[in-house]
Amino acid sequence: MWVRIPPRAQIIVVRMFEDVLVHPPEIRARARQLFLAGGTVADTARAVGLPYRTVWHWCNDRPETKFQGTQHRCFRCRDGVDSPTDPKAYAYLLGLYLGDGHLVTTARVPVLRIYCSDAWPGLIEACDVAMRAVLATKVQRVQKQGCVGVQSYGIHWPCLLPQHGPGRKHERPIVLTDWQRPILEDHPGDFLRGLFHSDGCRTVNRVTTRGRHYIYPRYMFVNESADIMGLCQWGLDLLGIAWRMNRRNSLSVARRDAVATLDRHVGPKS
């Protein structure tokens, strides 16, 4: 009895036989090795000189690749890996996220968005670079009114940013995990750079005392979350930088030596 096979099924059967008969096992093994090492399907296809669809079939039909996308870059989900590939970039990105970031986990694929002012194109680029260094394989820039939303979709962003949650950050606890704290202790300057690049600024302060005029630079950090403000204070203490609270939600670094030290770590928003 003859059974008619639908055209799409015929194509799949032909491709299965092509995989077995045409391409040697060592080519398939090399392609899978490149893919699991962090390459995209497109990069892997170019490296082995085969069509994209063929390599996609190899990379997506194996039990080892059950988790796709950013899984192989998430150090929290990999056995034997206890720190990010680029801890300086992670510390910086965490600071940006705590300041002006938002992680949406209700969509099918979580998306990390960090909003950067149009006035600081260098900051937009630095945010893009940090996302790619930490996890992202693709980063989009979405123009908003007065700012750019630098965003990346990835299933594993919640693994790396456990401070996410419903509601605004200042309305929920923001506490470092046991694995985050050592990273920031080793790279407090990068963490502070992210905080000040998001919710901070470097200004020139002018005061008049007893008829004499004084002009000096200072850093300001403003955030409604007491927990995030506490993390900023902690980072400054790690570097021995003097600070004071000039308002309930505002921190100031104004001493000459403290400003000079923070300059070396934070630098300008370019």
Side-chain angles (χ1 to χ4, degrees), residues 40 63 67 124 130 132 134 139 142 147 150 164-165 167 192 205 208 260 264 267 269:
T40 65
F67 300 104
I124 296 170
R132 294 178 190 273
V134 173
V139 176
V142 181
C147 69
V150 183
H164 73 276
L192 290 172
N205 197 38
T208 301
R264 292 196 294 270
K269 293 180 180 178

Side-chain angles (χ1 to χ4, degrees), residues 107-259:
R108 184 175 64 86
V109 178
V111 55
L112 171 64
R113 294 190 179 100
I114 296 177
Y115 297 96
C116 305
S117 171
D118 287 340
W120 309 110
L123 173 58
I124 296 170
E125 181 64 25
C127 179
D128 185 309
V129 170
M131 282 188 179
R132 294 178 190 273
V134 173
L135 185 72
T137 55
K138 293 182 180 179
V139 176
Q140 297 88 33
R141 302 183 186 186
V142 181
Q143 184 65 55
K144 303 288 185 179
Q145 184 173 0
C147 69
V148 172
V150 183
Q151 66 180 35
S152 169
Y153 288 84
I155 293 176
H156 293 267
W157 280 121
C159 306
L160 303 183
L161 298 171
Q163 283 71 34
H164 73 276
R168 300 176 180 178
K169 296 190 191 79
H170 69 274
E171 296 175 343
R172 65 176 190 266
I174 302 293
V175 181
L176 295 179
T177 63
D178 291 341
W179 59 266
Q180 285 178 307
R181 189 169 290 273
I183 298 172
L184 301 189
E185 287 175 342
D186 289 340
H187 305 282
D190 297 284
F191 178 57
L192 290 172
R193 186 162 63 95
L195 289 177
F196 278 93
H197 278 188
S198 55
D199 277 348
C201 64
R202 188 185 190 277
T203 63
V204 175
N205 197 38
R206 295 176 170 85
V207 297
T208 301
T209 303
R210 297 176 182 177
R212 299 188 64 178
H213 302 286
Y214 298 91
I215 301 176
Y216 59 92
R218 72 170 176 175
Y219 281 91
M220 302 290 294
F221 179 73
V222 180
N223 196 289
E224 291 294 330
S225 168
D227 288 342
I228 295 175
M229 184 64 71
L231 291 175
C232 182
Q233 297 167 353
W234 172 68
L236 292 169
D237 289 342
L238 288 175
L239 294 174
I241 297 174
W243 55 270
R244 69 180 183 88
M245 298 295 295
N246 59 328
R247 293 197 306 272
R248 173 192 59 81
N249 63 343
S250 176
L251 177 149
S252 169
V253 175
R255 287 177 51 175
R256 182 179 301 176
D257 59 337
V259 170

